[in-house]
Structure formats: C-alpha cells, structure tokens
C-alpha cells in the first residue's frame, strides 16, 4: 500500500495495518500522531524539505520513521545537480531547490540500522518522457509520490502483487504536473498495475445508510 499525505478515512487507516508493505512520505502526516504500519518512508531529500526533516528531532522520532526499515531518497543527486543551472534561470526563487541532503539521510539510516536507497535518475527521466504524452504545462519535477510509485512498479513489484493507493489528492505545490500525474496513474490502473483504494463506508455514513 502506497499512502500519500492527504487525509485518510478510517477504512483506509485500518487497511494499512493489514498490508504486506506500507510506503509513506516525508513526515507521514496522514498516519496521525500515533503513527501506523510503515515499512518505507520516501523523503524529498533536496532543498528545504530535506534540510527541515534532518534538522528536526521530531522527524527522527516520528513513529512511522522509527518503524520503517528503509528510507528512500527520491531525488537522485546527479540528476538534481544537473537541474541546478537551468532552474537558476527559469526559477531563480528556487535557489536552494537542488541542494542535496541524501548523505544526511544515509548517516541517519546507518545510525538507526535502516537501509538507505537513493532512487536512480532513470526513474525520473522515464517519468518525464511518459508525462509528456499528457501535455502538462511547464513544471519543475514530478511529485515525490509519483516518482515512488514509478520506482516501486519498476524495481520492487511482482506480477501477482496488488498495489493499493490511498491518500493521493493530486494537488499541492504549483510546480508539479498534477493533472498529468493523475492521468498517468489512471493509465496504470487501466493496465491493472495499480488500484486506487476507495472506502465505500464513508459514502454510507455520509448518506445515513
């Protein structure tokens, strides 16, 4: 189960406890203060998010982070080093966007007995090429969630796996291609590679049934 940071229903929260593998993101906020089943935490390891997480004791003590056996740094350092110069021209306000903090996450994992995995640049490159089919407006980078979904499908998923998505609202930072990302995920759902979990109990509660 790949769990985004949008609010989860009670049914979605409960389902995470029964999954074989649960992936969450950054501060895992959709899990709530008590945390929940977590095997992998995927982090935005560049720019302000990476710096903030490493600098806050609260992130290190987060129950989901503590429970995870793996931390994934989703932004490949070489890839983002190459993006630095063009971004300085197109988005000068993002002057620290490509600063890489993956060594800090690696050190944290070494101290905590966790595996640190830096995603390959090829995953990002492949996503950029595939998103182009949906004619996105100019964007800076795919979202953390989409990069992780693409990487899991490419390197970890088995043919008989059921991969559930929950907590993905497809909105947020203005420089992610949200609509193209939604269409990319919908295409993988039609292929039978992903399932978007839908908690029907919330509809029964809302309707009074």
């Amino acid at each position: 189960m790949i769990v985004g940071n949008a609010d989860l229903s009670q049914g979605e929260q409960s389902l995470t406890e029964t999954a074989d593998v649960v992936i969450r993101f950054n501060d895992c906020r959709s899990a709530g203060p008590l945390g929940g089943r977590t095997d992998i935490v995927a982090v935005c390891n560049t720019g302000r998010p990476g710096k903030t997480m490493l600098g806050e004791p609260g992130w290190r003590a987060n129950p989901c982070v503590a429970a995870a056996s793996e931390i994934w740094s989703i932004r490949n350092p070489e890839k983002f080093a190459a993006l630095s110069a063009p971004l300085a021209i197109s988005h000068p306000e993002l002057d620290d966007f490509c600063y890489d903090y993956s060594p800090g996450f690696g050190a944290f994992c070494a101290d905590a007995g966790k595996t640190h995995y830096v995603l390959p640049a090829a995953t990002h490159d492949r996503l950029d090429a595939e998103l182009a089919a949906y004619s996105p407006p100019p964007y800076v980078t795919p979202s953390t969630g989409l990069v992780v979904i693409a990487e899991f499908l490419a390197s970890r998923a088995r043919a008989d796996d059921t991969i559930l998505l929950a907590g993905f609202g497809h909105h947020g930072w203005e420089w992610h291609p949200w609509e193209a990302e939604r269409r990319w995920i919908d295409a993988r759902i039609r292929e039978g590679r992903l399932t978007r979990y839908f908690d029907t109990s919330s509809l029964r509660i809302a309707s009074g049934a």
Side-chain angles (χ1 to χ4, degrees):
M1 193 165 183
I2 304 177
V3 185
N5 277 335
D7 290 340
L8 300 182
S9 68
Q10 184 175 354
E12 289 168 325
Q13 290 279 21
S14 297
L15 191 59
T16 62
E17 299 304 313
T18 68
D20 296 310
V21 175
V22 176
I23 303 176
R24 301 184 191 268
F25 298 89
N26 293 323
D27 60 2
C28 310
R29 62 180 175 270
S30 63
L34 299 180
R37 170 68 187 272
T38 308
D39 300 280
I40 299 169
V41 176
V43 298
C44 178
N45 53 292
T46 69
R48 294 162 210 172
K51 181 179 181 180
T52 298
M53 280 183 279
L54 285 175
E56 289 184 351
W59 180 82
R60 298 168 184 265
N62 183 299
C64 292
V65 174
S69 60
E70 298 184 48
I71 303 295
W72 285 13
S73 287
I74 70 104
R75 292 180 173 172
N76 183 272
E78 290 78 16
K79 171 74 176 178
F80 276 75
L83 287 175
S84 181
L87 278 180
I89 297 171
S90 63
H91 294 80
E93 72 279 10
L94 301 179
D95 56 336
D96 60 352
F97 186 78
C98 295
Y99 290 0
D100 176 47
Y101 296 95
S102 60
F105 288 105
F108 165 72
C109 288
D111 291 342
K114 303 179 188 295
T115 297
H116 181 227
Y117 177 54
V118 180
L119 271 63
T123 300
H124 190 138
D125 293 339
R126 184 175 68 254
L127 263 182
D128 282 335
E130 293 174 357
L131 288 169
Y134 306 110
S135 303
Y139 67 92
V140 171
T141 180
S143 69
T144 302
L146 196 73
V147 175
V148 168
I149 292 168
E151 175 62 20
F152 193 85
L153 289 174
S155 68
R156 300 288 183 101
R158 300 170 301 189
D160 59 345
D161 283 341
T162 297
I163 303 173
L164 300 180
L165 304 182
F168 286 88
H170 303 301
H171 59 80
W173 190 51
E174 62 180 318
W175 295 115
H176 291 321
W178 295 114
E179 177 59 19
E181 292 192 8
R182 182 190 62 77
R183 294 175 65 188
W184 185 95
I185 287 175
D186 287 346
R188 305 293 84 74
I189 291 171
R190 289 192 297 271
E191 295 167 358
R193 303 188 69 197
L194 297 173
T195 299
R196 197 189 299 273
Y197 179 73
F198 187 63
D199 184 10
T200 56
S201 66
S202 62
L203 294 180
R204 291 195 295 272
I205 293 170
S207 64

